[in-house]
Amino acid sequence: MNKQELFENIKRKKSFLCVGLDTDIKKIPEFLLEEEDPIFTFNKAIIDATAPFCIAYKPNLAFYESMGVKGWIAFEKTVNYLKENYPDQFIIADAKRGDIGNTSAMYARTFFEEENLDAVTVAPYMGEDSVTPFLGYEGKWVILLALTSNKGSHDFQLTTDTEGERLFEKVLRKSQEWGNDQNMMYVVGATQGRMFEDIRKIVPDHFLLVPGIGAQGGSLEEVCKYGMTKECGLIVNSSRAIIYADKSENFAEVAGKEAQKVQLQMAEQLKAIL
């Protein structure tokens, strides 16, 4: 899915919502544990209920890897179900990979050849040769960590060099030598508020993947005010606030209603550019 196709999908659905499939076996409704594959059963129900209101899904690999082989099987079944039934959905592997070149090449092969996903999150700390193997796949996206929403982001990302440039700004500037707004996005946490203004000065046209709406307390209005572009330029993720909104047998229906609430808020924000 290229940049224009992504934007067309946003316009069609009046949404830029990404549903995070951070599926924890210890948090899903207990009655699902009787199923042969409770993780996939949960994901399938969540997807069916939320697909009309979102344009992307983001399974977080840690939640699947924590269950070993069974987790990987559930992950693959989830991805295949999305591809077969909702081919318009943008699928992001939230893996945060990034290692020396030959190792990154194997990670890239995993997500772009074997799993055939649209995008993968990548950590830039090891520099160019840890990122460029992911950029060698036409039609695929690297989503580079830039300014995250967690408390510890201040430990490194906001530190400055002798010229006053913050580390996340260096990441944004340097990485544009490797990719462009057709194959690279950036992770920017919703809790960063007006920091989006500084980010847009450096990457005015790139899509941003924005976690932190919902359970982490980020403001959708602030994100849109300071981060939205004429082509939207935002994919806003919500995980726990949607998928764990209810633990009864109606969990999927409630998740769908929560996703719809966010979609309606996004439709209002999109009126400024559509």
Side-chain angles (χ1 to χ4, degrees):
M1 189 178 295
N2 62 36
K3 186 178 180 182
Q4 186 58 36
E5 290 169 338
L6 187 55
F7 182 43
E8 290 298 326
N9 211 21
I10 289 170
K11 290 193 290 184
R12 182 173 62 83
K13 286 195 165 183
K14 294 182 172 59
S15 173
F16 44 98
L17 172 63
C18 173
V19 174
L21 297 174
D22 299 0
T23 309
D24 186 343
I25 192 73
K26 296 182 179 181
K27 291 183 179 179
I28 65 175
E30 286 189 13
F31 74 90
L32 291 176
L33 300 180
E34 300 173 3
E35 298 285 335
E36 181 181 352
D37 189 340
I39 295 296
F40 173 66
T41 301
F42 177 83
N43 284 354
K44 179 178 179 294
I46 292 290
I47 290 166
D48 289 339
T50 59
F53 312 113
C54 66
I55 53 95
Y57 287 94
K58 183 175 70 64
N60 186 317
L61 267 293
F63 290 86
Y64 302 88
E65 291 171 336
S66 70
M67 295 182 62
V69 173
K70 288 183 179 179
W72 266 103
I73 291 172
F75 169 75
E76 287 204 332
K77 287 165 69 174
T78 298
V79 168
N80 289 335
Y81 184 75
L82 278 167
K83 290 178 188 174
E84 291 168 8
N85 296 276
Y86 302 98
D88 63 335
Q89 294 289 344
F90 190 74
I91 309 175
I92 302 165
D94 190 0
K96 300 179 179 69
R97 300 298 197 252
D99 206 330
I100 59 173
N102 61 339
T103 308
S104 277
M106 295 300 102
Y107 285 137
R109 182 187 297 178
T110 298
F111 296 113
F112 292 152
E113 292 186 33
E114 294 301 317
E115 303 298 340
N116 194 25
L117 304 182
D118 294 297
V120 61
T121 56
V122 176
Y125 189 77
M126 292 182 70
E128 180 180 7
D129 61 323
S130 70
V131 176
T132 50
F134 295 93
L135 291 165
Y137 291 84
E138 188 174 350
K140 304 298 185 181
W141 293 83
V142 168
I143 307 180
L144 215 60
L145 301 180
L147 185 58
T148 55
S149 56
N150 60 306
K151 182 180 176 181
S153 65
H154 291 243
D155 291 344
F156 298 114
Q157 295 166 24
L158 295 179
T159 57
T160 58
D161 61 18
T162 55
E163 297 177 354
E165 183 177 52
R166 291 167 291 188
L167 182 58
F168 79 88
E169 293 171 319
K170 186 180 293 291
V171 168
L172 293 172
R173 289 194 175 92
K174 183 65 178 177
S175 61
Q176 288 182 79
E177 298 175 12
W178 315 332
N180 54 54
D181 64 3
Q182 301 293 324
N183 64 2
M184 185 178 287
M185 305 184 188
Y186 297 97
V187 175
V188 180
T191 55
Q192 298 297 344
R194 292 197 64 166
M195 205 78 76
F196 278 83
E197 282 188 307
D198 296 337
I199 288 163
R200 281 304 185 200
K201 291 174 184 176
I202 303 171
V203 288
D205 300 317
H206 286 70
F207 261 88
L208 306 178
L209 174 63
V210 184
I213 292 291
Q216 295 185 53
S219 166
L220 179 64
E221 290 73 20
E222 270 203 337
V223 169
C224 292
K225 181 178 180 181
Y226 301 116
M228 185 174 279
T229 69
K230 64 181 185 301
E231 293 180 321
C232 184
L234 299 170
I235 300 175
V236 172
N237 181 80
S238 181
S239 302
R240 288 170 285 172
I242 291 176
I243 69 173
Y244 297 136
D246 184 82
K247 290 193 175 183
S248 73
E249 292 188 358
N250 299 319
F251 74 93
E253 180 183 350
V254 175
K257 290 179 179 177
E258 291 300 315
Q260 186 177 29
K261 287 180 187 176
V262 179
Q263 182 270 320
L264 290 172
Q265 294 170 17
M266 290 179 169
E268 283 296 311
Q269 297 295 327
L270 285 167
K271 286 180 178 180
I273 62 168
L274 299 183

